[in-house]
Amino acid sequence: MPSTTMPANFGRRLLLSVLALAGAASIVGVVFSLTRLPEAWRRVTVSHMPMGFDWTWQPPDYAELKWPLLVCLIPVAGLWIVLSGGRLFAPIRPLDSWRAATVCCAVLGIACVSRLTVVSTTDPQLSRDIDRYLIDGIATTEGLNPYALTPIEMTQVRGVPVAHDDLISIYQPTSQTVFAASTSVAQLGAQPGDERTAEQELVLRLHFVTFDLLIIALILCVLRLHGRSLWWAALYAWHPLPIVEVAASGHQDVIGIALLLCSVACVWVVSDVKFGGALSRKRRGIAAVLAGVTLAGAIGVKPIVLPIAALYVWYLRGDRRAVVTGIVATVLTLIALYLPFALMPGGLWGMIDTAVTFTRDWSFNSPIHANIHAAFDSQWFASLVGESIATPLSSKWVTNAIVWSALLVVMIVVVRRGADLWEAVIAYFLAALLLSSTVYPWYLLWALALVPIRFNLAVWVWSLTITWSYAVWLDPDPWRVPTWVMWAQYVPVFGVLVWMGVRKSRKAVKQESSKSDASVG
């Protein structure tokens, strides 16, 4: 008589099957909702974009975005919940070669199909930063310095609407190189005078998706080296945030994230006892050079990456040769990136002026920086130090000094508690974002890409709640996230951080008591 007993892992397999079906439905829902959003987006925001252009302005009805945004955020939340459930039941042990290859194909295949579908069926939405990328790419290919002229002053890009067209570009040389390369590819076969803005936009987004897929491939490689299940890569590959921010909106941060991930992996291999000890002196030097070059490339996308170099020095402190090699490679690469633009007419001063303007005047979705600045920009501070000293500019710089000091303290505490390199890097980006004056959803991708390698619950929770900041589009004047959305977004994040801190403290106390008991015994 055949046995009717079920396998011991039948319930686990059934649950994973249900999660897989729910995940597939959620991915389809995210992609479908993104294809529905552009029509509503164009209808209510086209008159919001011209800035300096002489267009007839009509007050848009932003209430029309309410339901399209809600329809988009529901499958986003559903996919996040599915990935959270999958993380609890995903295998921890490494897979054999055949299964590992199958998982790689599944993770990369679904990620590729979802991203290419979004790119081919939608226009950039929720943010139009890609317009500035196009203008910068056109300017560079025309032999102009993107750091010397504003879009208003560039006759080559007249008629291309862009926000803040009175400001010079803030995007760094690595990004400018990609913009120019993408523009050159899009213009292949074009006749003089052809308008190929749509083609340039499509090619640029495809370049960003390529970098995003490279990030997933790097995550898979690192997980394999770590001896962990490759299914963890799905936490980023199938996450709705990169699908929305990279494939749909076309944000350039993935260029730097891919370079940074490669850099951290190289430093980790050299500093790790298991891998570093098995490498020859020559290979350690090659890894250090690659780490320096890719770190400089990431800095050339977002300068906020620069303090990561201090972490590299700390974790490579036992290998002075690797430290010196990495520093030299980083400096030489930065010179190679910035010097061509510095030698062009106008140099880098326009970009520096815009960066100062950004630091001084811009603020969005900030949970800490904005409140500190409000305290120092208040009447009580003016009465305390005098109105001649308590100017808006001085209060801003005092706030920045406090924030950077707090970030330094956080990093010292993280390193002294014995965090490895991956944990320290993800802690740096989490702290830097929480302390920043401007926190757009795509900024979190810098930390989210590290989650599959070193899971951080605070980053994971924030990757859902940060999407709620798009509620600003329901009433963008003033450009401020509603207070209730700020509370809903950040209370879970800070709650998780407190819980993580208490848990680590209790664990440290238990370890100390165990050591003391062992010594007494």
Side-chain angles (χ1 to χ4, degrees), residues 141-175:
T141 54
E142 293 287 340
L144 300 175
N145 183 1
Y147 302 137
L149 299 171
T150 66
I152 296 178
E153 298 167 334
M154 296 181 187
T155 57
Q156 291 85 346
V157 296
R158 285 285 171 84
V160 179
V162 60
H164 306 291
D165 56 4
D166 58 330
L167 294 177
I168 289 173
S169 176
I170 197 175
Y171 297 108
Q172 304 297 302
T174 304
S175 301

Side-chain angles (χ1 to χ4, degrees), residues 329-399:
T330 303
V331 172
L332 292 178
T333 305
L334 286 174
I335 292 174
L337 286 170
Y338 282 86
L339 187 60
F341 292 97
L343 295 178
M344 295 177 74
L348 301 172
W349 297 111
M351 179 261 289
I352 295 173
D353 288 342
T354 302
V356 172
T357 301
F358 178 89
T359 305
R360 184 188 64 224
D361 300 336
W362 293 0
S363 179
F364 177 77
N365 196 33
S366 173
I368 296 176
H369 189 284
N371 292 308
I372 296 176
H373 179 247
F376 283 99
D377 199 28
S378 61
Q379 189 62 38
W380 75 267
F381 182 67
S383 61
L384 185 66
V385 300
E387 293 186 1
S388 60
I389 298 177
T391 62
L393 182 60
S394 64
S395 63
K396 192 75 172 186
W397 289 117
V398 169
T399 302

Side-chain angles (χ1 to χ4, degrees), residues 2 48 56 79 87 124 173 254 336 473 494:
H48 185 78
T56 302
L79 184 53
R87 182 242 167 203
V254 286
W473 275 114
F494 285 106

Side-chain angles (χ1 to χ4, degrees), residues 18-28 78-79 82:
V18 173
L19 287 174
L21 291 174
S26 298
I27 290 178
V28 172
L79 184 53
V82 169

